[in-house]
Amino acid sequence: MKTYMEKLKHPKWQKKRLYILERDNFTFCYCNDKETELQIHHLKYHKDPWEAKNEDLLTLCKDCHQLVTAYNPSPRSEEHTF
Ligand SMILES: [Zn+2]
């Protein structure tokens, strides 16, 4: 049984992650910061990260991601994805 963090290294997730990054033009957050590391925010969680629907995934910079996660704590926020 793989952990969630291990699953995020799966080629299926890496491919989807890239798709989302390109769809969002490499940012979807309010700060317009082009320097900070980008992460993918899951609005809904699934057993496997690549099962998430594209509309449930958002490209956020690391700082905005932390803010969003703080305001919307999910049961799995401690394993939050990037
Ligand atoms: Zn941001």
Side-chain angles (χ1 to χ4, degrees):
M1 174 85 187
K2 284 186 192 291
T3 69
Y4 198 76
M5 290 303 283
E6 280 169 344
K7 283 180 180 177
L8 293 174
K9 292 175 189 152
H10 195 287
K12 271 188 185 173
W13 170 246
Q14 290 300 322
K15 201 177 160 200
K16 195 174 184 79
R17 183 181 177 278
L18 252 177
Y19 173 81
I20 299 297
L21 284 169
E22 284 180 9
R23 184 204 63 181
D24 291 348
N25 205 14
F26 288 86
T27 185
F28 203 83
C29 56
Y30 323 101
C31 64
N32 281 319
D33 187 343
K34 307 278 186 213
E35 308 289 309
T36 314
E37 174 194 337
L38 292 171
Q39 303 183 334
I40 306 292
H41 176 57
H42 279 70
L43 296 172
K44 287 179 190 154
Y45 282 91
H46 298 266
K47 192 164 72 63
D48 295 316
W50 52 86
E51 282 178 2
K53 288 184 188 151
N54 290 338
E55 54 265 39
D56 289 333
L57 299 169
L58 286 176
T59 305
L60 295 174
C61 78
K62 200 179 168 196
D63 294 343
C64 289
H65 195 193
Q66 275 175 358
L67 269 174
V68 168
T69 308
Y71 282 111
N72 290 302
S74 84
R76 311 190 62 161
S77 58
E78 76 280 1
E79 302 179 292
H80 217 75
T81 181
F82 49 88

